Amino acid sequence: MAKKKGRTPEETSRDPATITLIERACAIEAETAFARADAMQACNIGGAGLCCKNCSMGPCRLVGKATRGVCGATLETIAARNFARAVAAGASAHSDHGRGLAYTLLEAAEGHAPDYGVRDAFKLLEVAGYLGVAVEDEEGMRPVDEIARDVALAALKEFGRIDGELLYLKRAPMKRQQIWHEQDIAPRNVDREVVELLHRTHVGNDQDAEHILDHTMRCALGDGWGGSMLATDLSDILFGTPAPVRSDSNLGVLRDNMVNIVVHGHEPTLSEMIVAAAQDPEIIAYAKSKGAEGIQLAGICCTANETLMRQGVPLAGNFLQQELAVLTGAVEAIVVDVQCIFQGLVPLAERFHTEVITTSPKAKITGATHIEFEESRALEIAKQIVRRAIDHFPERGDTTIPDVHSPLVPGFSHEYIDYALGGFYRGSLRPLNDAIMAGRIRGVVANIGCNNARVCHDELHRHVVEEFLKNDILVVETGCGAIASAKQGLMTPEAALEVAGPGLREVCETVGIPPVLHMGSCVDNSRILTVLSQMATEGGLGEDIADIPAVGMAPEWMSEKALSIATYCVASGAYVILGGSDGPVSGSEEVLRLMSDGWEEKVGGRLEFIEEAEEIVRRSIAHIDAKREALGLDEYDASKWGQSGDRRMPELLNLPLEERIEAAYGGR
Ligand code: NFS
């Protein structure tokens, strides 16, 4: 990581709302992650993967003349083990989230969680099919609650099944499944691969970097095609499958005259109930009795994406804006569950009237109020939390709400993309494949992942996305990367007219979609796996995910979850780039080689760590063009496009007849 001491606000973030609030933090001497990152240099030994603290003979730092740890472990073993353990943690986080939803569905189906139910019965039937749950008996269709109970139980079984392998692996293209079997990396169940990875990386166990990394792929696949995919499916069943909605983004969505409640974390179970509680007329009346005009909910991180995709709740911001929401002085409560929550929120909130409320039995923060969430009393607890927030409204002091916000249209589940391209009866990805084959769309980039306080906030996301759009590359997004694009105004259909290249613009205009599609939270990267699998089986773009002209990236990544996502995408056949630094195994050339060339030989995908945005773009486009060539597709040529589309139509209608015939028929 580059050392960056004392950056100016403009060097710290690309986002104007963030810059305003960093300035406020400086003015009132409040501490944020940006300032802490500047004050503390990252450890370059640990950062390069060269510090081993797996036993108490160390920590061993493999620098200078030290080429082995006390136990004799080599640099390669240590770097691979560190990476593997991070993937195990990331896979655990996503998968435990998925397990939680399976229990919620079970409790709802058995009548123990009356505030939840099946909102998308169609999806329930589809998932029942994947999990081998019967939807009919001799008397016809079984009751929905019975199917839901059996789906929940079948989902729970996937976490610890005692034989065979994950059922969802069958959703991948045949060729991909064959590769997993040939390489012996098909996950047997979700939990076992995580436990085995921790076992293998215990002192004195698996001490061959390549072998450790093979199992790392297996563990990560259990996340992508297991825990995360189940999390997405079960969320859709319980809370509805997303379809486009209109919403707004950035800290300007907070309101001076309303009670502002920020939901932050990851699981939709609680936040969906907070949404319901905040709409209750009695609760709204209570807010008015305290002098507010109503209640404004807004989200941070993936909780934001969950409530945005289904309810249209506005986005307050991404990962690095959590403290800034508090710094506005306008937030009565920040309600959190699990993952990506800064402990720094608590001392910061003490300087304002904001209450930090933790809710998950898995995550308490010293000094925060803990109101534990229980599915059996979900709405009651959510109302209690919202009332508590309202009680703080009269305590509010000065506020600084930046007047910065951008509209967006999120909600692109893979079901909706199918529908958008073909309608209800002919839903299909055929038009997308055709557009790529013709070269109107050069390829697809999945831009996902976090912010990182050590790189300029949102800047890498902005740079790569704009470059891809100009080059007629369709961008799909999740997580905090999606929030970055939303704030930059790239998620409205109109944005296509301004930013996209001529071919992509034609497609976006015709279908009426933005050039950057918001596909949800980070567990919803499973939606991207589903789209890629469908593209591979639709025909014309090869027969496997590895054949598609596509790249995955997390230019500002920071979390262990991002490493798990990157690894399962590679193991699914994708070229993946992690940006912002030279990466967590940069101390070992051999491990870097194993993850790039080595993994490419085994599974067709490769992982690279590239610090600079220009280089990320250059290598991505080169990869997309190479995949086009391998498929025998025409070389991409922007000059062929731009002759149709809504923008061109009024112009065409006014042309002299001969020119109009020429434009319409191109001399044919
Ligand atoms: Ni993803 Fe979502 Fe954001 Fe990174 Fe954290 S919120 S699960 S890990 S920081 S994208």
Side-chain angles (χ1 to χ4, degrees), residues 94 264-266 300-303 305 318-319 339-340 448-451 478-481 521-523 557-562 565:
H94 284 152
H264 170 28
H266 282 75
I300 296 270
C301 282
C302 284
T303 282
N305 290 323
N318 45 10
F319 177 63
Q339 301 169 23
C340 302
I448 65 159
C450 325
N451 300 131
T478 61
C480 292
S521 63
C522 286
V523 294
W557 76 280
M558 63 87 207
S559 77
E560 292 167 314
K561 288 177 286 177
I565 295 165

Side-chain angles (χ1 to χ4, degrees), residues 328-344:
T328 62
V331 172
E332 277 57 54
I334 179 159
V335 185
V336 303
D337 50 26
V338 291
Q339 301 169 23
C340 302
I341 301 150
F342 281 157
Q343 186 161 5

